[in-house]
Amino acid sequence: MKPKLLVVSGPSGVGKGTLLKRVFAESGLPLTMSVSATTRKPRPGEIDGVHYQFLSTDEFETKRNTGEFLECFEVFGKGTWYGTLRRTVEQGLSAGNWVVLEIDIKGANAVKKQFPDAVLLFIEPKNIEVLKERLLGRGTETEEAMQRRLATALEELEHAPEFEHRIVNDDLGVAVKQFIDIIKSKA
Ligand code: 5GP
C-alpha cells in the first residue's frame, strides 16, 4: 500500500481538529500529522514542535529563501505566515506513513500541483450560522483577529466546489465515517 498525502482544508472553526483526532484513532491506517511552521504566536497550551514549529519572521523568511517549504502562504493577511516543511512530508512518506496536512486552500492547490495523487478533502459546516457561533465561542482571539478569520472563513467556503471530496461536519460520527471511507477507497 503506497502511503499518500492527505490534504485537509476548510474554514477556521469548522472542527477539523476534532474530526481528525477521531479519524486518527479509528481509521487503522498509519496516519501522521505534518507539523507546519508559522510566524503566529503560540496560543496558551500550544507546544513548539508539536502544534507548530513557531518561528520568527526572519527565521521563516530564511527557510523560505532556501526552499525548505513545499508550500507557504500568508494566511490571514497582516504578516502571519504558515508553511509545510518539505522535509517533514518526505520523512513521513518514506517511513511508510500517510501524511496529513491541515492547510488552507491556496496551500492545498500548491501541494496538488507537486503531488498529483494527493487526496484533497474539504470540511464544511452545516451552515454559516453554526460556523459563526463556533468562531465567536472560541474566545482566544481579539475582535479584529476574529473578524479577519470570519471573513477568511466565508471566502474559503466559496472554494468548496473545487474539491473532489467534501464532508459536512454536522454529525461528527457520520463525518468521521465518510472521511475514513474516502481515504480507504484510495488505499
Ligand atoms: P491556526 O492559526 O488556527 O492554527 O490555523 C489557521 C489556518 O492556517 C488553518 O486552518 C490552516 O488552514 C492554515 N494553515 C496551517 N498550517 C498551514 C500551512 O502549513 N500552510 C498553509 N498554506 N496553511 C496552513
Side-chain angles (χ1 to χ4, degrees):
M1 193 166 66
K2 194 167 171 256
K4 290 233 155 52
L5 261 187
L6 304 179
V7 182
V8 182
S9 297
S12 191
V14 79
K16 284 168 286 179
T18 312
L19 177 62
L20 283 174
K21 239 182 236 157
R22 287 270 306 263
V23 170
F24 269 62
E26 297 172 27
S27 77
L29 290 168
L31 302 176
T32 182
M33 202 71 201
S34 157
V35 178
S36 292
T38 183
T39 61
R40 166 167 85 57
K41 297 275 170 287
R43 297 193 187 113
E46 283 185 334
I47 301 162
D48 189 30
V50 175
H51 297 94
Y52 282 103
Q53 190 174 335
F54 294 101
L55 301 178
S56 68
T57 307
D58 283 352
E59 288 167 331
F60 198 99
E61 186 71 20
T62 303
K63 287 195 188 299
R64 204 177 151 210
N65 291 337
T66 51
E68 288 183 49
F69 290 115
L70 185 59
E71 59 77 33
C72 68
F73 287 97
E74 196 182 354
V75 174
F76 297 110
K78 303 221 173 183
T80 304
W81 284 83
Y82 294 83
T84 304
L85 291 154
R86 209 176 276 284
R87 205 181 48 194
T88 304
V89 169
E90 285 167 0
Q91 280 176 347
L93 291 175
S94 56
N97 292 318
W98 290 46
V99 179
V100 182
L101 310 180
E102 198 221 299
I103 62 178
D104 80 331
I105 286 169
K106 283 181 277 183
N109 289 329
V111 169
K112 186 74 180 172
K113 285 201 183 107
Q114 297 172 74
F115 288 83
D117 68 346
V119 182
L120 271 55
L121 301 106
F122 190 87
I123 316 299
E124 53 193 312
K126 189 170 76 169
N127 55 48
I128 289 171
E129 277 60 46
V130 172
L131 189 68
K132 276 188 190 158
E133 258 167 48
R134 288 217 199 127
L135 277 173
L136 291 169
R138 196 180 257 179
T140 55
E141 314 275 334
T142 63
E143 180 61 26
E144 194 202 350
M146 253 289 315
Q147 291 303 334
R148 217 161 45 231
R149 266 171 198 270
L150 185 58
T152 308
L154 297 179
E155 240 171 67
E156 292 224 316
L157 276 181
E158 288 173 14
H159 291 274
E162 296 161 19
F163 278 69
E164 186 188 354
H165 302 292
R166 294 169 62 174
I167 295 171
V168 176
N169 189 16
D170 181 16
D171 179 314
L172 182 61
V174 172
V176 169
K177 183 174 180 319
Q178 267 180 3
F179 193 115
I180 293 175
D181 286 348
I182 290 168
I183 62 177
K184 285 203 166 151
S185 76
K186 305 285 175 185

